[in-house]
Amino acid sequence: MKANTSCVVGVQWGDEGKGKIVDLLSKEADVVVRFQGGGNAGHTVVNGKEKFVLHLIPSGILHKGTTCVIANGVVVDLVQLLEEIRDLRKRGVEVGRNLILSERAHVVMPYHKQLDALSEKSSDKKIGTTQRGIGPCYADKAARKGIRIADLYSPAVFMERLGALVSEKNKILRALYDAPPLEADRIWMEYRKLADEVEPFVGDATTYVNGAIDGGRRVLFEGAQGSLLDIDFGTYPYVTSSNSDACGISAGAGVPPKKVGTIIGIAKAYCTRVGEGPFPTELANALGEKIREIGREFGATTGRPRRCGWFDIVASRHAVMINGIDELAITKLDVLDGLPELQVCTAYELDGERVDRIPVDVETLARCRPVYRTFPGWKADTSKARKFDALPKEAKAYLKFLEKELKVRVTIVSVGTERMKTIFR
Ligand code: IMP
């Protein structure tokens, strides 16, 4: 990390391996901040023989001396957060004064999760959400009907607000889904108890993070999902409901754009997508299944099989542009070991024309056919390489091609889940 603030964001459709990279970079960070998304994320960190999957707590939690911040832009499921805290503590990880939960963050309420699930179940145009209540919670935030962490500590205000909200949600539940009503009193009591349990963590995260930056401490922002799932710049409507790229940091953490330093983009050496939506380089065949098996491409949050395909330069170039990526980390290179040849999508073909930019609408994107460049594969086991030069020449040529096309230097190559299986260049 060159600047004292940096950020890790995915440049594909999520699951790029951000957890591992954030964990590695956290060694040098004083503060790690989640600024968007919520329990839909599943960041996997392998620490020695132990595997941790973090959903809400920043991946820096495994490092002693690092403070982790769940900033205002995150939507927080308190039940899930407390479960995560309990699980970490059970496994010997300290969670106490090293965790700050923004008082401005919105709370994912039971009706958000229920509406997310019912909407997915009943719709004939499914998004394939994680059903963690993310979309409905952000919808209420934008509609100014959300409940924020701070509201939980004003019992009378919370009760009044919740009463009105539950009565509105019950009308929707009955009219659209013929579902039984929720009881505001029960939810109020449950959430008052949850509020007591999380109170030790609640604080003014914005002032804390800005103070840390101004004081010269090293702050790392941890993006969740990926840039192609961004609500503004992703493959709308098959996206998540937040700004999952570096653009989200300012609003999601209250940090001025000029304070955000190095932006590190993470991409897999191939590409995956989970949920619905167009995916031009998808391999809906035996090779796609083989990559899924070797790469263990199953959702860390939902367990769903991920769709697998080739690296898509067009889509990632778009992500590089909107994020202003300074450095790239390429993960899971080892998964491609032994394949006779690899393909990289360098452009799309649409109605006989060559297209170099990702179309704005998914209907057009679904009609795009990838134009591939073929690369020879390699036989060697890259998981043993610890230096860039130790990689097979075909793997180096492949990475250098990505670098040239994306105009960004590859500074980290990950060749396995464990921390040590990483090449810094
Ligand atoms: P939601 O964020 O649960 O509303 O889901 C919206 C879309 O984003 C779906 O296609 C999900 O599969 C996808 N998605 C959400 N979170 C993640 C993630 O952490 N990794 C990969 N895909 C995700």
Side-chain angles (χ1 to χ4, degrees):
M1 282 192 285
K2 280 184 231 121
N4 87 329
T5 55
S6 45
C7 158
V8 164
V9 284
V11 299
Q12 293 164 325
W13 279 284
D15 308 317
E16 297 92 349
K18 294 178 292 291
K20 172 179 168 175
I21 304 298
V22 171
D23 168 65
L24 285 169
L25 298 177
S26 295
K27 228 177 15 179
E28 294 177 36
D30 300 303
V31 183
V32 182
V33 185
R34 274 282 306 271
F35 56 92
Q36 48 72 230
N40 49 352
H43 292 177
T44 305
V45 179
V46 178
N47 175 6
K49 288 209 175 77
E50 284 201 271
K51 178 174 155 182
F52 294 86
V53 181
L54 298 154
H55 301 283
L56 280 159
I57 298 181
S59 305
I61 198 75
L62 303 179
H63 290 272
K64 271 206 158 57
T66 303
T67 301
C68 288
V69 176
I70 300 175
N72 59 284
V74 179
V75 287
V76 184
D77 177 345
L78 294 176
V79 179
Q80 195 181 9
L81 176 63
L82 286 162
E83 246 173 53
E84 214 166 306
I85 293 171
R86 271 194 294 273
D87 181 56
L88 284 167
R89 284 178 172 163
K90 226 183 335 182
R91 298 171 71 183
V93 179
E94 182 200 339
V95 188
R97 289 167 61 88
N98 55 344
L99 179 68
I100 299 173
L101 169 62
S102 171
E103 54 203 3
R104 287 189 163 88
H106 280 247
V107 182
V108 175
M109 300 297 290
Y111 44 78
H112 292 137
K113 289 188 269 189
Q114 199 179 355
L115 288 168
D116 196 359
L118 287 168
S119 152
E120 281 287 285
K121 210 164 128 197
S122 65
S123 169
D124 49 5
K125 270 214 150 176
K126 295 185 199 323
I127 304 289
T129 73
T130 58
Q131 305 197 11
R132 296 298 188 270
I134 306 297
C137 185
Y138 278 118
D140 272 358
K141 175 179 177 175
R144 292 146 298 177
K145 291 177 178 175
I147 289 179
R148 303 194 298 172
I149 295 287
D151 301 330
L152 303 176
Y153 303 101
S154 303
V157 176
F158 177 36
M159 182 180 252
E160 191 192 327
R161 182 101 51 93
L162 185 67
L165 277 164
V166 169
S167 122
E168 180 191 292
K169 303 300 178 197
N170 280 342
K171 284 184 199 148
I172 297 171
L173 285 170
R174 193 179 55 238
L176 294 187
Y177 307 111
D178 200 21
L182 296 165
E183 289 172 42
D185 289 355
R186 261 168 85 158
I187 300 176
W188 185 83
M189 273 178 343
E190 186 193 352
Y191 277 72
R192 284 288 305 136
K193 203 164 150 273
L194 294 171
D196 284 345
E197 287 186 64
V198 295
E199 196 169 10
F201 308 107
V202 176
D204 180 354
T206 307
T207 302
Y208 179 84
V209 175
N210 279 287
I213 297 172
D214 296 345
R217 300 178 75 205
R218 293 159 304 178
V219 178
L220 176 63
F221 294 94
E222 175 177 4
Q225 291 80 52
S227 302
L228 302 175
L229 288 171
D230 181 275
I231 182 114
D232 283 286
F233 302 107
T235 47
Y236 191 90
Y238 298 100
V239 291
T240 191
S241 301
S242 64
N243 284 116
S244 49
D245 49 36
C247 313
I249 297 174
S250 286
V255 170
K258 64 183 176 189
K259 284 192 186 173
V260 182
T262 312
I263 314 280
I264 304 163
I266 317 286
K268 259 179 219 175
Y270 48 99
C271 195
T272 62
R273 171 161 209 171
V274 59
E276 304 301 318
F279 179 9
T281 61
E282 180 169 12
L283 290 163
N285 56 22
L287 181 55
E289 275 168 36
K290 183 173 169 183
I291 293 176
R292 180 184 306 135
E293 287 310 316
I294 300 173
R296 292 187 295 276
E297 295 293 356
F298 296 89
T301 298
T302 58
R304 290 179 293 175
R306 297 178 185 142
R307 301 151 67 192
C308 298
W310 296 121
F311 198 101
D312 183 339
I313 297 271
V314 184
S316 289
R317 195 185 283 134
H318 169 73
V320 166
M321 174 181 75
I322 55 171
N323 285 288
I325 301 288
D326 297 302
E327 301 174 21
L328 264 180
I330 301 289
T331 61
K332 295 190 127 175
L333 184 71
D334 55 301
V335 172
L336 302 179
D337 291 355
L339 294 186
E341 58 178 34
L342 313 172
Q343 318 245 52
V344 176
C345 167
T346 54
Y348 301 146
E349 193 200 293
L350 178 67
D351 302 332
E353 303 272 330
R354 187 185 159 97
V355 176
D356 294 311
R357 279 192 299 164
I358 193 163
V360 65
D361 64 296
V362 285
E363 289 76 16
T364 308
L365 181 60
R367 291 197 297 113
C368 286
R369 297 287 157 257
V371 176
Y372 284 123
R373 173 148 170 182
T374 305
F375 287 79
W378 53 87
K379 294 246 156 43
D381 174 5
T382 57
S383 73
K384 301 228 160 50
R386 297 292 173 267
K387 288 203 166 88
F388 192 79
D389 280 338
L391 289 170
K393 69 175 189 317
E394 296 85 357
K396 280 191 280 193
Y398 180 74
L399 293 172
K400 283 183 177 169
F401 181 76
L402 300 184
E403 223 171 25
K404 182 170 117 316
E405 289 292 306
L406 296 172
K407 297 192 175 66
V408 184
R409 192 170 150 77
V410 173
T411 55
I412 300 173
V413 183
S414 170
V415 289
T417 49
E418 299 92 335
R419 284 172 173 164
M420 60 180 297
K421 292 189 174 169
T422 312
I423 298 168
F424 289 95
R425 190 165 166 229

